[in-house]
PDB file of all heavy atoms in Angstrom:
ATOM      1  N   GLU D  89      89.219  75.501  -8.322  1.00 98.00           N
ATOM      2  CA  GLU D  89      87.846  75.181  -7.783  1.00 98.00           C
ATOM      3  C   GLU D  89      87.781  75.536  -6.279  1.00 98.00           C
ATOM      4  O   GLU D  89      86.849  76.140  -5.818  1.00 98.00           O
ATOM      5  CB  GLU D  89      87.535  73.672  -8.004  1.00 98.00           C
ATOM      6  CG  GLU D  89      86.099  73.314  -7.605  1.00 98.00           C
ATOM      7  CD  GLU D  89      85.969  71.878  -7.261  1.00 98.00           C
ATOM      8  OE1 GLU D  89      86.630  71.007  -7.862  1.00 98.00           O
ATOM      9  OE2 GLU D  89      85.137  71.597  -6.343  1.00 98.00           O
ATOM     10  N   ILE D  90      88.817  75.136  -5.584  1.00 98.00           N
ATOM     11  CA  ILE D  90      88.847  75.420  -4.113  1.00 98.00           C
ATOM     12  C   ILE D  90      88.862  76.944  -3.876  1.00 98.00           C
ATOM     13  O   ILE D  90      88.127  77.474  -3.051  1.00 98.00           O
ATOM     14  CB  ILE D  90      90.076  74.725  -3.469  1.00 98.00           C
ATOM     15  CG1 ILE D  90      89.789  73.227  -3.418  1.00 98.00           C
ATOM     16  CG2 ILE D  90      90.324  75.296  -2.068  1.00 98.00           C
ATOM     17  CD1 ILE D  90      90.910  72.422  -2.837  1.00 98.00           C
ATOM     18  N   LEU D  91      89.708  77.608  -4.665  1.00 98.00           N
ATOM     19  CA  LEU D  91      89.820  79.058  -4.457  1.00 98.00           C
ATOM     20  C   LEU D  91      88.496  79.772  -4.761  1.00 98.00           C
ATOM     21  O   LEU D  91      88.181  80.781  -4.142  1.00 98.00           O
ATOM     22  CB  LEU D  91      90.925  79.619  -5.321  1.00 98.00           C
ATOM     23  CG  LEU D  91      92.372  79.206  -4.896  1.00 98.00           C
ATOM     24  CD1 LEU D  91      93.399  79.591  -5.935  1.00 98.00           C
ATOM     25  CD2 LEU D  91      92.716  79.817  -3.544  1.00 98.00           C
ATOM     26  N   GLN D  92      87.787  79.213  -5.734  1.00 97.00           N
ATOM     27  CA  GLN D  92      86.527  79.909  -6.111  1.00 97.00           C
ATOM     28  C   GLN D  92      85.359  79.511  -5.226  1.00 97.00           C
ATOM     29  O   GLN D  92      84.391  80.284  -5.058  1.00 97.00           O
ATOM     30  CB  GLN D  92      86.161  79.578  -7.590  1.00 97.00           C
ATOM     31  CG  GLN D  92      86.988  80.412  -8.525  1.00 97.00           C
ATOM     32  CD  GLN D  92      87.096  79.811  -9.930  1.00 97.00           C
ATOM     33  OE1 GLN D  92      86.359  78.883 -10.228  1.00 97.00           O
ATOM     34  NE2 GLN D  92      88.016  80.301 -10.742  1.00 97.00           N
ATOM     35  N   THR D  93      85.376  78.323  -4.660  1.00 97.00           N
ATOM     36  CA  THR D  93      84.170  77.881  -3.940  1.00 97.00           C
ATOM     37  C   THR D  93      84.322  77.752  -2.443  1.00 97.00           C
ATOM     38  O   THR D  93      83.311  77.577  -1.738  1.00 97.00           O
ATOM     39  CB  THR D  93      83.681  76.504  -4.509  1.00 97.00           C
ATOM     40  OG1 THR D  93      84.739  75.550  -4.312  1.00 97.00           O
ATOM     41  CG2 THR D  93      83.340  76.561  -5.968  1.00 97.00           C
ATOM     42  N   CYS D  94      85.532  77.771  -1.934  1.00 97.00           N
ATOM     43  CA  CYS D  94      85.695  77.499  -0.496  1.00 97.00           C
ATOM     44  C   CYS D  94      86.176  78.755   0.258  1.00 97.00           C
ATOM     45  O   CYS D  94      86.843  79.613  -0.292  1.00 97.00           O
ATOM     46  CB  CYS D  94      86.758  76.413  -0.283  1.00 97.00           C
ATOM     47  SG  CYS D  94      86.239  74.836  -0.861  1.00 97.00           S
ATOM     48  N   LYS D  95      85.853  78.750   1.536  1.00 96.00           N
ATOM     49  CA  LYS D  95      86.396  79.725   2.431  1.00 96.00           C
ATOM     50  C   LYS D  95      87.665  79.058   2.972  1.00 96.00           C
ATOM     51  O   LYS D  95      87.623  78.000   3.610  1.00 96.00           O
ATOM     52  CB  LYS D  95      85.421  80.000   3.573  1.00 96.00           C
ATOM     53  CG  LYS D  95      85.690  81.292   4.258  1.00 96.00           C
ATOM     54  CD  LYS D  95      84.508  81.693   5.168  1.00 96.00           C
ATOM     55  CE  LYS D  95      84.331  80.774   6.358  1.00 96.00           C
ATOM     56  NZ  LYS D  95      85.313  80.681   7.368  1.00 96.00           N
ATOM     57  N   LEU D  96      88.831  79.678   2.686  1.00 98.00           N
ATOM     58  CA  LEU D  96      90.069  79.019   3.092  1.00 98.00           C
ATOM     59  C   LEU D  96      90.456  79.300   4.525  1.00 98.00           C
ATOM     60  O   LEU D  96      90.300  80.427   5.007  1.00 98.00           O
ATOM     61  CB  LEU D  96      91.208  79.494   2.201  1.00 98.00           C
ATOM     62  CG  LEU D  96      91.256  79.068   0.737  1.00 98.00           C
ATOM     63  CD1 LEU D  96      92.556  79.494   0.081  1.00 98.00           C
ATOM     64  CD2 LEU D  96      91.081  77.577   0.622  1.00 98.00           C
ATOM     65  N   PRO D  97      90.959  78.259   5.240  1.00 98.00           N
ATOM     66  CA  PRO D  97      91.504  78.547   6.585  1.00 98.00           C
ATOM     67  C   PRO D  97      92.721  79.434   6.441  1.00 98.00           C
ATOM     68  O   PRO D  97      93.511  79.298   5.509  1.00 98.00           O
ATOM     69  CB  PRO D  97      91.835  77.202   7.123  1.00 98.00           C
ATOM     70  CG  PRO D  97      91.928  76.307   5.923  1.00 98.00           C
ATOM     71  CD  PRO D  97      91.111  76.902   4.834  1.00 98.00           C
ATOM     72  N   ASP D 269      92.618  77.662  12.403  1.00 98.00           N
ATOM     73  CA  ASP D 269      91.181  77.548  12.060  1.00 98.00           C
ATOM     74  C   ASP D 269      90.859  76.060  11.882  1.00 98.00           C
ATOM     75  O   ASP D 269      89.752  75.647  12.193  1.00 98.00           O
ATOM     76  CB  ASP D 269      90.935  78.260  10.711  1.00 98.00           C
ATOM     77  CG  ASP D 269      91.319  79.721  10.784  1.00 98.00           C
ATOM     78  OD1 ASP D 269      90.649  80.415  11.578  1.00 98.00           O
ATOM     79  OD2 ASP D 269      92.295  80.151  10.137  1.00 98.00           O
ATOM     80  N   LEU D 270      91.815  75.325  11.352  1.00 98.00           N
ATOM     81  CA  LEU D 270      91.597  73.938  11.001  1.00 98.00           C
ATOM     82  C   LEU D 270      92.728  73.106  11.538  1.00 98.00           C
ATOM     83  O   LEU D 270      93.895  73.402  11.274  1.00 98.00           O
ATOM     84  CB  LEU D 270      91.494  73.773   9.480  1.00 98.00           C
ATOM     85  CG  LEU D 270      91.467  72.387   8.895  1.00 98.00           C
ATOM     86  CD1 LEU D 270      90.249  71.591   9.359  1.00 98.00           C
ATOM     87  CD2 LEU D 270      91.529  72.436   7.368  1.00 98.00           C
ATOM     88  N   GLU D 292      88.395  74.043  14.073  1.00 98.00           N
ATOM     89  CA  GLU D 292      87.613  72.956  13.452  1.00 98.00           C
ATOM     90  C   GLU D 292      88.570  71.763  13.348  1.00 98.00           C
ATOM     91  O   GLU D 292      89.707  71.941  12.945  1.00 98.00           O
ATOM     92  CB  GLU D 292      87.096  73.339  12.090  1.00 98.00           C
ATOM     93  CG  GLU D 292      86.085  74.467  12.105  1.00 98.00           C
ATOM     94  CD  GLU D 292      84.829  74.111  12.865  1.00 98.00           C
ATOM     95  OE1 GLU D 292      84.397  72.928  12.878  1.00 98.00           O
ATOM     96  OE2 GLU D 292      84.244  75.029  13.497  1.00 98.00           O
ATOM     97  N   TYR D 294      89.516  68.025  11.848  1.00 98.00           N
ATOM     98  CA  TYR D 294      89.260  67.083  10.738  1.00 98.00           C
ATOM     99  C   TYR D 294      90.152  65.870  10.945  1.00 98.00           C
ATOM    100  O   TYR D 294      91.371  66.006  11.041  1.00 98.00           O
ATOM    101  CB  TYR D 294      89.578  67.778   9.397  1.00 98.00           C
ATOM    102  CG  TYR D 294      89.355  66.919   8.203  1.00 98.00           C
ATOM    103  CD1 TYR D 294      88.132  66.848   7.570  1.00 98.00           C
ATOM    104  CD2 TYR D 294      90.399  66.164   7.672  1.00 98.00           C
ATOM    105  CE1 TYR D 294      87.914  66.101   6.440  1.00 98.00           C
ATOM    106  CE2 TYR D 294      90.201  65.350   6.550  1.00 98.00           C
ATOM    107  CZ  TYR D 294      88.917  65.318   5.930  1.00 98.00           C
ATOM    108  OH  TYR D 294      88.745  64.558   4.819  1.00 98.00           O
ATOM    109  N   LEU D 308      94.320  66.950   1.462  1.00 98.00           N
ATOM    110  CA  LEU D 308      94.243  68.290   2.001  1.00 98.00           C
ATOM    111  C   LEU D 308      93.027  69.048   1.400  1.00 98.00           C
ATOM    112  O   LEU D 308      92.303  69.766   2.101  1.00 98.00           O
ATOM    113  CB  LEU D 308      95.542  69.035   1.714  1.00 98.00           C
ATOM    114  CG  LEU D 308      95.550  70.512   2.148  1.00 98.00           C
ATOM    115  CD1 LEU D 308      95.762  70.582   3.655  1.00 98.00           C
ATOM    116  CD2 LEU D 308      96.678  71.291   1.438  1.00 98.00           C
ATOM    117  N   TYR D 309      92.832  68.855   0.099  1.00 98.00           N
ATOM    118  CA  TYR D 309      91.728  69.553  -0.585  1.00 98.00           C
ATOM    119  C   TYR D 309      90.391  69.117   0.043  1.00 98.00           C
ATOM    120  O   TYR D 309      89.510  69.914   0.263  1.00 98.00           O
ATOM    121  CB  TYR D 309      91.715  69.272  -2.064  1.00 98.00           C
ATOM    122  CG  TYR D 309      92.962  69.712  -2.829  1.00 98.00           C
ATOM    123  CD1 TYR D 309      93.291  69.182  -4.088  1.00 98.00           C
ATOM    124  CD2 TYR D 309      93.858  70.636  -2.253  1.00 98.00           C
ATOM    125  CE1 TYR D 309      94.432  69.585  -4.765  1.00 98.00           C
ATOM    126  CE2 TYR D 309      94.978  71.048  -2.944  1.00 98.00           C
ATOM    127  CZ  TYR D 309      95.283  70.498  -4.195  1.00 98.00           C
ATOM    128  OH  TYR D 309      96.410  70.874  -4.840  1.00 98.00           O
ATOM    129  N   GLU D 310      90.302  67.806   0.310  1.00 98.00           N
ATOM    130  CA  GLU D 310      89.063  67.274   0.938  1.00 98.00           C
ATOM    131  C   GLU D 310      88.855  67.941   2.329  1.00 98.00           C
ATOM    132  O   GLU D 310      87.754  68.319   2.695  1.00 98.00           O
ATOM    133  CB  GLU D 310      89.143  65.747   1.120  1.00 98.00           C
ATOM    134  CG  GLU D 310      88.868  64.957  -0.138  1.00 98.00           C
ATOM    135  CD  GLU D 310      87.640  65.464  -0.898  1.00 98.00           C
ATOM    136  OE1 GLU D 310      86.552  65.531  -0.265  1.00 98.00           O
ATOM    137  OE2 GLU D 310      87.754  65.773  -2.079  1.00 98.00           O
ATOM    138  N   ALA D 311      89.933  68.029   3.081  1.00 98.00           N
ATOM    139  CA  ALA D 311      89.858  68.610   4.418  1.00 98.00           C
ATOM    140  C   ALA D 311      89.406  70.063   4.322  1.00 98.00           C
ATOM    141  O   ALA D 311      88.584  70.524   5.092  1.00 98.00           O
ATOM    142  CB  ALA D 311      91.196  68.508   5.154  1.00 98.00           C
ATOM    143  N   ILE D 312      89.939  70.808   3.354  1.00 98.00           N
ATOM    144  CA  ILE D 312      89.583  72.222   3.210  1.00 98.00           C
ATOM    145  C   ILE D 312      88.134  72.353   2.806  1.00 98.00           C
ATOM    146  O   ILE D 312      87.394  73.205   3.309  1.00 98.00           O
ATOM    147  CB  ILE D 312      90.505  72.935   2.201  1.00 98.00           C
ATOM    148  CG1 ILE D 312      91.917  72.999   2.785  1.00 98.00           C
ATOM    149  CG2 ILE D 312      89.999  74.311   1.863  1.00 98.00           C
ATOM    150  CD1 ILE D 312      92.952  73.569   1.820  1.00 98.00           C
ATOM    151  N   LYS D 313      87.657  71.476   1.901  1.00 98.00           N
ATOM    152  CA  LYS D 313      86.263  71.522   1.450  1.00 98.00           C
ATOM    153  C   LYS D 313      85.342  71.243   2.650  1.00 98.00           C
ATOM    154  O   LYS D 313      84.323  71.888   2.859  1.00 98.00           O
ATOM    155  CB  LYS D 313      86.016  70.505   0.358  1.00 98.00           C
ATOM    156  CG  LYS D 313      86.556  70.940  -1.003  1.00 98.00           C
ATOM    157  CD  LYS D 313      86.254  69.864  -2.059  1.00 98.00           C
ATOM    158  CE  LYS D 313      87.051  70.121  -3.295  1.00 98.00           C
ATOM    159  NZ  LYS D 313      87.010  68.984  -4.212  1.00 98.00           N
ATOM    160  N   ASP D 314      85.731  70.260   3.461  1.00 98.00           N
ATOM    161  CA  ASP D 314      84.930  69.923   4.630  1.00 98.00           C
ATOM    162  C   ASP D 314      84.875  71.114   5.609  1.00 98.00           C
ATOM    163  O   ASP D 314      83.792  71.448   6.111  1.00 98.00           O
ATOM    164  CB  ASP D 314      85.572  68.680   5.303  1.00 98.00           C
ATOM    165  CG  ASP D 314      84.622  68.076   6.348  1.00 98.00           C
ATOM    166  OD1 ASP D 314      84.689  68.535   7.516  1.00 98.00           O
ATOM    167  OD2 ASP D 314      83.856  67.204   5.993  1.00 98.00           O
ATOM    168  N   TYR D 315      86.026  71.684   5.833  1.00 98.00           N
ATOM    169  CA  TYR D 315      86.129  72.864   6.722  1.00 98.00           C
ATOM    170  C   TYR D 315      85.195  73.963   6.202  1.00 98.00           C
ATOM    171  O   TYR D 315      84.489  74.641   6.987  1.00 98.00           O
ATOM    172  CB  TYR D 315      87.581  73.356   6.743  1.00 98.00           C
ATOM    173  CG  TYR D 315      87.750  74.743   7.307  1.00 98.00           C
ATOM    174  CD1 TYR D 315      87.798  74.990   8.663  1.00 98.00           C
ATOM    175  CD2 TYR D 315      87.842  75.837   6.433  1.00 98.00           C
ATOM    176  CE1 TYR D 315      87.950  76.273   9.179  1.00 98.00           C
ATOM    177  CE2 TYR D 315      87.988  77.134   6.939  1.00 98.00           C
ATOM    178  CZ  TYR D 315      88.011  77.326   8.307  1.00 98.00           C
ATOM    179  OH  TYR D 315      88.138  78.585   8.788  1.00 98.00           O
ATOM    180  N   SER D 316      85.223  74.171   4.894  1.00 98.00           N
ATOM    181  CA  SER D 316      84.489  75.287   4.295  1.00 98.00           C
ATOM    182  C   SER D 316      82.964  75.120   4.454  1.00 98.00           C
ATOM    183  O   SER D 316      82.221  76.108   4.440  1.00 98.00           O
ATOM    184  CB  SER D 316      84.895  75.346   2.811  1.00 98.00           C
ATOM    185  OG  SER D 316      84.344  76.462   2.231  1.00 98.00           O
ATOM    186  N   ARG D 317      82.548  73.878   4.583  1.00 97.00           N
ATOM    187  CA  ARG D 317      81.104  73.617   4.766  1.00 97.00           C
ATOM    188  C   ARG D 317      80.625  73.796   6.196  1.00 97.00           C
ATOM    189  O   ARG D 317      79.444  73.756   6.497  1.00 97.00           O
ATOM    190  CB  ARG D 317      80.760  72.188   4.316  1.00 97.00           C
ATOM    191  CG  ARG D 317      80.796  71.962   2.828  1.00 97.00           C
ATOM    192  CD  ARG D 317      80.179  70.591   2.457  1.00 97.00           C
ATOM    193  NE  ARG D 317      81.015  69.488   2.892  1.00 97.00           N
ATOM    194  CZ  ARG D 317      81.946  68.902   2.110  1.00 97.00           C
ATOM    195  NH1 ARG D 317      82.133  69.320   0.894  1.00 97.00           N
ATOM    196  NH2 ARG D 317      82.668  67.889   2.558  1.00 97.00           N
ATOM    197  N   ARG D 318      81.558  73.944   7.123  1.00 97.00           N
ATOM    198  CA  ARG D 318      81.163  74.014   8.510  1.00 97.00           C
ATOM    199  C   ARG D 318      80.709  75.414   8.915  1.00 97.00           C
ATOM    200  O   ARG D 318      81.179  76.402   8.373  1.00 97.00           O
ATOM    201  CB  ARG D 318      82.342  73.624   9.415  1.00 97.00           C
ATOM    202  CG  ARG D 318      82.861  72.246   9.047  1.00 97.00           C
ATOM    203  CD  ARG D 318      83.414  71.555  10.204  1.00 97.00           C
ATOM    204  NE  ARG D 318      84.141  70.350   9.804  1.00 97.00           N
ATOM    205  CZ  ARG D 318      85.094  69.769  10.493  1.00 97.00           C
ATOM    206  NH1 ARG D 318      85.429  70.298  11.648  1.00 97.00           N
ATOM    207  NH2 ARG D 318      85.663  68.667  10.076  1.00 97.00           N
ATOM    208  N   GLU D 319      79.817  75.448   9.863  1.00 97.00           N
ATOM    209  CA  GLU D 319      79.380  76.771  10.383  1.00 97.00           C
ATOM    210  C   GLU D 319      80.113  76.994  11.716  1.00 97.00           C
ATOM    211  O   GLU D 319      79.890  76.259  12.656  1.00 97.00           O
ATOM    212  CB  GLU D 319      77.863  76.809  10.602  1.00 97.00           C
ATOM    213  CG  GLU D 319      77.396  78.160  11.104  1.00 97.00           C
ATOM    214  CD  GLU D 319      75.905  78.243  11.250  1.00 97.00           C
ATOM    215  OE1 GLU D 319      75.366  77.512  12.106  1.00 97.00           O
ATOM    216  OE2 GLU D 319      75.245  79.059  10.559  1.00 97.00           O
ATOM    217  N   ARG D 320      80.977  77.994  11.732  1.00 96.00           N
ATOM    218  CA  ARG D 320      81.712  78.274  12.972  1.00 96.00           C
ATOM    219  C   ARG D 320      80.894  79.294  13.770  1.00 96.00           C
ATOM    220  O   ARG D 320      80.785  80.432  13.385  1.00 96.00           O
ATOM    221  CB  ARG D 320      83.104  78.848  12.622  1.00 96.00           C
ATOM    222  CG  ARG D 320      83.892  77.874  11.767  1.00 96.00           C
ATOM    223  CD  ARG D 320      85.272  78.341  11.514  1.00 96.00           C
ATOM    224  NE  ARG D 320      86.103  78.218  12.711  1.00 96.00           N
ATOM    225  CZ  ARG D 320      87.329  78.760  12.799  1.00 96.00           C
ATOM    226  NH1 ARG D 320      87.799  79.528  11.835  1.00 96.00           N
ATOM    227  NH2 ARG D 320      88.049  78.556  13.871  1.00 96.00           N
ATOM    228  N   LEU D 333      76.965  87.169   8.239  1.00 94.00           N
ATOM    229  CA  LEU D 333      77.467  86.874   6.893  1.00 94.00           C
ATOM    230  C   LEU D 333      76.768  87.787   5.858  1.00 94.00           C
ATOM    231  O   LEU D 333      77.404  88.289   4.934  1.00 94.00           O
ATOM    232  CB  LEU D 333      77.241  85.390   6.529  1.00 94.00           C
ATOM    233  CG  LEU D 333      78.219  84.442   7.215  1.00 94.00           C
ATOM    234  CD1 LEU D 333      77.810  82.993   6.933  1.00 94.00           C
ATOM    235  CD2 LEU D 333      79.667  84.676   6.786  1.00 94.00           C
TER     236      LEU D 333
END
Side-chain angles (χ1 to χ4, degrees):
E89 186 205 325
I90 288 179
L91 291 169
Q92 281 159 13
T93 60
C94 293
K95 199 167 70 62
L96 289 188
D269 301 295
L270 170 63
E292 295 297 329
Y294 180 89
L308 176 77
Y309 300 161
E310 282 313 308
I312 293 175
K313 284 181 193 168
D314 192 272
Y315 164 83
S316 187
R317 286 192 290 269
R318 304 211 190 157
E319 182 178 62
R320 302 185 74 190
L333 285 173

